[in-house]
Amino acid sequence: MQIRILNSLDVLEYRDIRLDALKKHPESFGSSYEEEKDLSINDFKDKLSSPISFTFVAFTHQNKLIGIVTLQREHRIKLRHRANIVGMYVSPSSRKMGIGRKLIAACIEKATSLEEIEQVYLSVVTTNMTAKNLYLSFGFKIFSLEKRALKLNYTYIDEEHMVLFLK
């Protein structure tokens, strides 16, 4: 397996796995399949070419994209000491193989290498114990519970907000 930063040659595969994630686990993302399914490849390229965003991808030895996660730096002056981990997803057939751990480790390593970044934030659905335990194992701490953070059809979904202090 290979973990690396996404490049423009991967955008078609990235789009496919992103849409798969949104379709299979709508409760885990702020975006929806309906909002992203009609975006063009150029829209995805634009999202991925931001100088404050680093999308990490996991590929099998057969070059199949099986996991994604994005580290986003804050750009406002007073928030530049912060980064956010968003869009974490590993294909169901590739779970329980340590891929999520490697993707989060890549984000933390990148955040640590960025001079200004002192803390990393993420949000996790309260019922996703696998993801929550992964983040806790890296030292993330829960600092708040957001009741009804998301609304999917007629169901509210709570999220916990977590932080990892690097410095």
Side-chain angles (χ1 to χ4, degrees), residues 40-117:
S40 71
I41 292 302
N42 285 335
D43 291 331
F44 276 92
K45 281 183 181 176
D46 290 346
K47 277 176 42 169
L48 298 170
S49 65
S50 167
I52 61 169
S53 183
F54 308 91
T55 296
F56 292 89
V57 290
F59 280 94
T60 65
H61 295 297
Q62 296 79 29
N63 248 4
K64 181 176 190 257
L65 182 55
I66 54 173
I68 56 175
V69 67
T70 299
L71 177 73
Q72 295 177 332
R73 297 173 67 168
E74 293 284 356
H75 65 278
R76 292 184 175 102
I77 292 171
K78 294 178 187 178
L79 298 175
R80 285 189 188 153
H81 64 293
R82 300 166 46 151
N84 300 288
I85 292 176
V86 298
M88 173 71 169
Y89 181 72
V90 175
S91 298
S93 62
S94 301
R95 293 182 185 155
K96 299 196 188 288
M97 298 169 52
I99 295 163
R101 177 164 295 286
K102 290 179 180 176
L103 287 167
I104 293 300
C107 284
I108 293 170
E109 183 179 332
K110 182 64 177 177
T112 303
S113 76
L114 299 170
E115 192 174 301
E116 292 181 319
I117 303 301

Side-chain angles (χ1 to χ4, degrees), residues 3-161:
I3 305 285
R4 62 174 169 78
I5 291 181
L6 182 80
N7 65 50
S8 61
L9 300 176
D10 305 320
V11 74
L12 289 174
E13 287 181 272
Y14 172 80
R15 179 184 183 275
D16 290 345
I17 196 171
R18 172 74 177 163
L19 292 176
D20 188 55
L22 295 172
K23 188 182 275 188
K24 288 183 178 169
H25 297 281
E27 74 286 352
S28 295
F29 301 93
S31 295
S32 70
Y33 175 81
E34 293 75 23
E35 290 170 314
E36 293 196 18
K37 70 180 174 65
D38 295 325
L39 293 177
S40 71
I41 292 302
N42 285 335
D43 291 331
F44 276 92
K45 281 183 181 176
D46 290 346
K47 277 176 42 169
L48 298 170
S49 65
S50 167
I52 61 169
S53 183
F54 308 91
T55 296
F56 292 89
V57 290
F59 280 94
T60 65
H61 295 297
Q62 296 79 29
N63 248 4
K64 181 176 190 257
L65 182 55
I66 54 173
I68 56 175
V69 67
T70 299
L71 177 73
Q72 295 177 332
R73 297 173 67 168
E74 293 284 356
H75 65 278
R76 292 184 175 102
I77 292 171
K78 294 178 187 178
L79 298 175
R80 285 189 188 153
H81 64 293
R82 300 166 46 151
N84 300 288
I85 292 176
V86 298
M88 173 71 169
Y89 181 72
V90 175
S91 298
S93 62
S94 301
R95 293 182 185 155
K96 299 196 188 288
M97 298 169 52
I99 295 163
R101 177 164 295 286
K102 290 179 180 176
L103 287 167
I104 293 300
C107 284
I108 293 170
E109 183 179 332
K110 182 64 177 177
T112 303
S113 76
L114 299 170
E115 192 174 301
E116 292 181 319
I117 303 301
E118 298 174 14
Q119 52 212 59
V120 180
Y121 293 84
L122 58 79
S123 296
V124 62
V125 172
T126 56
T127 56
N128 190 342
M129 294 307 295
T130 302
K132 189 160 114 177
N133 288 333
L134 172 66
Y135 305 142
L136 289 169
S137 75
F138 276 98
F140 281 88
K141 303 286 187 223
I142 298 166
F143 69 89
S144 74
L145 168 66
E146 184 177 356
K147 301 291 275 174
R148 298 167 56 150
L150 302 173
K151 185 176 180 183
L152 181 60
N153 299 319
Y154 299 101
T155 303
Y156 291 103
I157 300 161
D158 299 340
E159 287 185 337
E160 289 175 319
H161 301 286

